[in-house]
């Protein structure tokens, strides 16, 4: 099954601090099942967002996941919340 991944509508995701690669935001239901972007306008089973950092596009990254996997176990209530979580860096860590 192919995962559907979309660039965020608002905000900008920083590059990965480990590899410099890009991440994306995907749309899902409240159980974390991947959905199309159209689902966002009629979320019949809840709406959440996940961060994706694809191993296929970032092969040397120690935190990249395979295409069907998301980063961690978090489901975010909004794109903005997911972007803020990804973009947050510890002091002294650039990215």
């Amino acid at each position: 099954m192919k995962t559907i991944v979309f660039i965020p509508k608002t905000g900008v995701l920083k590059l990965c601090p480990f590899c410099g690669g890009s991440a994306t935001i995907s749309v899902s239901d409240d159980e974390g099942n991947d959905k199309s972007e159209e689902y966002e306008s009629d979320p019949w089973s809840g709406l959440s967002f996940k961060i994706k950092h694809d191993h296929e596009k970032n092969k040397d990254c120690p935190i990249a996941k395979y295409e069907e996997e998301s980063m961690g176990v978090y489901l975010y209530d909004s794109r903005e919340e997911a972007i803020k979580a990804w973009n947050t860096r510890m002091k002294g860590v650039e990215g």
Side-chain angles (χ1 to χ4, degrees):
M1 181 176 189
K2 189 155 178 94
T3 301
I4 302 168
V5 178
F6 300 95
I7 302 299
K9 289 181 179 176
T10 60
V12 175
L13 291 168
K14 289 183 179 180
L15 297 177
C16 176
F18 296 99
C19 72
S22 62
T24 57
I25 303 293
S26 68
V27 176
S28 65
D29 62 19
D30 279 346
E31 295 177 354
N33 300 305
D34 290 327
K35 301 292 183 183
S36 70
E37 192 167 303
E38 289 78 30
Y39 178 82
E40 201 171 347
S41 63
D42 185 24
W44 52 269
S45 185
L47 179 63
S48 61
F49 301 88
K50 299 187 285 189
I51 299 170
K52 302 271 184 155
H53 185 54
D54 191 338
H55 178 267
E56 295 301 314
K57 295 176 185 169
N58 305 285
K59 292 190 184 294
D60 295 328
C61 187
I63 68 165
K65 301 290 183 179
Y66 289 96
E67 188 173 320
E68 65 277 355
E69 299 175 1
S70 58
M71 298 301 302
V73 296
Y74 295 106
L75 297 175
Y76 300 97
D77 292 331
S78 68
R79 289 176 185 272
E80 292 76 19
E81 185 181 357
I83 291 167
K84 181 178 178 183
W86 176 261
N87 287 349
T88 299
R89 303 287 193 249
M90 295 180 68
K91 279 188 174 180
V93 176
E94 295 298 318

